[in-house]
Amino acid sequence: MSKEIEQSIAAKDEEQRKLQLAIHKLQALEQQQKQYIGNISHEFKTPLTSIKAYVDLLNMYDDDPKLLLEAKASIAKETQRLYEMVEKVLQVSALEKYDFESQAELLEVAEGLRDVCARMSGKAERFGITISCDAEPAHIWIDKESFMHIFINLLDNAIKYNVPQGTIHVHSELRDNRVRITIRDSGIGIPEEARERIFEPFYTVNRDRSRQSGGTGLGLSLVRNLVEKQNGSITLLETEGEGSVFELSFPAT
Ligand code: ADP
């Protein structure tokens, strides 16, 4: 009898421990969500404040041609930034809510990568940047839309943070039953102190260099989320000299 009581006390303790753990997790999630909403509000306010300031100025001095030009350029830039932010925030929240909607299918990686590179080469050319791709034939199970989002975001960064006449090289190979994909660019690189933080939402190495290229600090956090949801991993490799290299790894099929 006393053994039964002991067992039931132990089971109750275990339940209590699990409940405590769940409460802690919920509290941490709530905290993260509050911080996320705070960050979003702040990030949205900045371009809106600038647009509002120009509209107020135009209301006061509507016959100033210099102001008109300046306002047009600034409003266009800030509107584009807002547009990109809304798009990324929607992608992030779609990812949170519709997990079950992700539809994994068999993808030939080399084909997928060549497709993304071709899609991004027009944008790269406009900046005088060349994209090359050498990919070994291999298959992974992945949601195709997520695959596209991941590599479009990474290539977009490799273009945004590159130098004129720069290069981007996409490589993939099959090793130890995993498909490893690297994206190497000849750009401005990522400083040592920022390496740990670049995957955090809203983190930008330098607000100015990100803003100039319409950055929001959401791209890499979205990428990491998507990669992990597809059972993959992403790391920023150490580089000697200039540029950045991101390595992604997915289980091969
Ligand atoms: P953003 O929208 O600002 O580009 P990301 O989350 O995509 O945000 O990236 C976070 C920060 O990491 C960026 O602000 C940028 O400074 C840095 N970064 C990302 N990719 C690269 C890259 N390929 N080369 C240099 N810096 C990069």
Side-chain angles (χ1 to χ4, degrees):
M1 184 67 185
S2 82
K3 198 160 178 231
E4 266 171 35
I5 293 174
E6 258 173 36
Q7 272 173 350
S8 103
I9 290 176
K12 201 174 127 274
D13 284 351
E14 179 59 16
E15 284 305 312
Q16 205 157 19
R17 199 187 59 80
K18 280 188 189 156
L19 199 64
Q20 279 297 338
L21 213 67
I23 291 172
H24 279 135
K25 271 195 187 157
L26 276 176
Q27 280 170 340
L29 268 177
E30 196 190 347
Q31 187 56 32
Q32 263 177 21
Q33 206 162 26
K34 273 190 188 152
Q35 197 177 352
Y36 184 68
I37 290 170
N39 281 341
I40 289 187
S41 320
H42 174 78
E43 290 299 317
F44 274 91
K45 261 191 200 155
T46 320
L48 281 174
T49 308
S50 159
I51 292 172
K52 187 174 179 307
Y54 271 112
V55 171
D56 289 346
L57 278 173
L58 285 175
N59 277 332
M60 286 192 281
Y61 312 103
D62 61 355
D63 55 353
D64 181 343
K66 194 166 158 261
L67 175 68
L68 195 65
L69 275 180
E70 221 178 87
K72 254 172 45 183
S74 177
I75 290 173
K77 199 175 106 200
E78 300 296 357
T79 315
Q80 176 63 21
R81 196 171 135 65
L82 277 172
Y83 180 81
E84 282 177 19
M85 275 171 58
V86 170
E87 217 169 48
K88 291 240 166 91
V89 168
L90 287 180
Q91 283 178 16
V92 173
S93 48
L95 182 84
E96 300 299 335
K97 276 190 194 152
Y98 306 120
D99 243 9
F100 60 90
E101 280 199 342
S102 135
Q103 286 174 345
E105 49 188 303
L106 199 61
L107 176 88
E108 210 289 291
V109 180
E111 237 170 64
L113 288 176
R114 277 195 294 269
D115 185 16
V116 199
C117 289
R119 281 199 201 189
M120 296 302 285
S121 63
K123 180 168 183 181
E125 273 164 26
R126 265 182 271 138
F127 293 91
I129 294 161
T130 337
I131 305 182
S132 59
C133 176
D134 83 277
E136 246 179 33
H139 287 88
I140 56 176
W141 272 100
I142 196 162
D143 172 60
K144 273 196 184 145
E145 212 182 312
S146 300
F147 181 87
M148 283 294 162
H149 275 319
I150 292 167
F151 289 98
I152 285 176
N153 269 297
L154 290 172
L155 285 175
D156 198 43
N157 278 349
I159 297 171
K160 274 195 313 199
Y161 303 111
N162 218 315
V163 291
Q165 313 310 319
T167 55
I168 300 169
H169 188 64
V170 179
H171 170 82
S172 91
E173 62 187 39
L174 190 59
R175 215 190 319 146
D176 305 330
N177 256 341
R178 291 191 77 86
V179 177
R180 288 170 207 274
I181 307 166
T182 50
I183 297 187
R184 177 183 298 272
D185 68 58
S186 60
I188 55 177
I190 295 167
E192 190 57 40
E193 65 278 10
R195 298 177 62 87
E196 292 289 309
R197 303 200 53 201
I198 50 162
F199 294 103
E200 289 174 15
F202 294 106
Y203 179 78
T204 52
V205 171
N206 170 329
R207 296 218 150 221
D208 288 341
R209 80 175 194 177
S210 245
R211 286 236 165 95
Q212 266 170 16
S213 44
T216 55
L218 283 170
L220 286 180
S221 97
L222 177 72
V223 165
R224 186 168 66 178
N225 257 312
L226 287 172
V227 168
E228 288 176 355
K229 290 236 152 85
Q230 304 297 322
N231 303 314
S233 62
I234 176 165
T235 38
L236 172 64
L237 299 187
E238 295 276 349
T239 38
E240 278 170 28
E242 74 214 2
S244 314
V245 187
F246 287 89
E247 185 183 69
L248 294 88
S249 158
F250 295 98
T253 308

